[in-house]
Amino acid sequence: MPQSKTNPIETRFQHEGIHTISLMVANKPGVLLRICLVFSRRGYNIESLVVSPAFDGRFSRMTITAQGDHSTLEQIIKQCSKLIDVVQAGEHDPLNSVEREFALVNVTLTKEDRIEILQLVQHFHADTVDMGETELIFQIVGSTDHLNTCISMFKPFGIKEMVRSGKMVILRNH
C-alpha cells in the first residue's frame, strides 16, 4: 500500500497548533466583531491580532495568530470566507511569506548592568528609544522566535513593561 505524502508545513502546524491567518476585509464597523465571533464559537484562542488599512482605504488587512487543530482552522477559514465583508481568507505558508513582529521593551537599568544591557541591545539588532538613569526602552523587529529569545535574555534584568505588535505577514512574490 503506498504511503500518502504529508505536507511538512501542515504536519508542523498540527503538532504545534500555531496558525497565521490573513483576511482581506471591507473597512466597515462590526467586521472585526463578526470575525472574532467565528473564532470564539469554535473555541479557538486568538493569540494576536493585527489590523491595518490595506493599500486601498476601502479594505483592511487582518493577520490573526491562533492556536488549535488544523481541521477546526479549515472550518473557521470557510466560515470567515462566507461573511459578506470578507474578500479573502487563508492560512499563511511560512515558506512563502515574510513574517515580522515589533516590540517595545522597558527594562530596568542599573549602573552595574548598563554596559551588558547595551551590548545585548546591540547583539539583537535592537534600537534604543529612550534611556534614563533607571530604565532603558528599546525597540526590536524580527521573527517571533527572535523576539522571544531577546526578551528571555532581558528578563533577569527586570522587564518593567513590554508591548508587542503581534505577527505581521506578507506573501512573497516568487
Side-chain angles (χ1 to χ4, degrees), residues 41-74:
R41 282 192 297 261
R42 291 286 183 165
Y44 239 70
N45 183 34
I46 295 176
E47 300 289 326
S48 72
L49 171 67
V50 177
V51 182
S52 61
F55 56 89
D56 180 342
R58 299 176 301 155
F59 301 100
S60 291
R61 171 83 178 267
M62 292 184 181
T63 305
I64 300 170
T65 304
Q67 283 193 317
D69 65 272
H70 192 74
S71 62
T72 304
L73 169 77
E74 287 177 350

Side-chain angles (χ1 to χ4, degrees), residues 15-94:
H15 176 69
E16 293 179 10
I18 299 169
H19 306 276
T20 303
I21 301 113
S22 267
L23 300 130
M24 183 69 72
V25 299
N27 194 2
K28 295 180 181 177
V31 175
L32 176 59
L33 175 62
R34 287 190 291 281
I35 298 292
C36 289
L37 285 173
V38 171
F39 280 79
S40 178
R41 282 192 297 261
R42 291 286 183 165
Y44 239 70
N45 183 34
I46 295 176
E47 300 289 326
S48 72
L49 171 67
V50 177
V51 182
S52 61
F55 56 89
D56 180 342
R58 299 176 301 155
F59 301 100
S60 291
R61 171 83 178 267
M62 292 184 181
T63 305
I64 300 170
T65 304
Q67 283 193 317
D69 65 272
H70 192 74
S71 62
T72 304
L73 169 77
E74 287 177 350
Q75 291 302 313
I76 288 172
I77 291 172
K78 287 177 186 175
Q79 286 180 331
C80 285
S81 296
K82 291 178 184 177
L83 295 174
I84 292 171
D85 293 320
V86 175
V87 177
Q88 183 180 22
E91 183 176 12
H92 275 281
D93 172 352

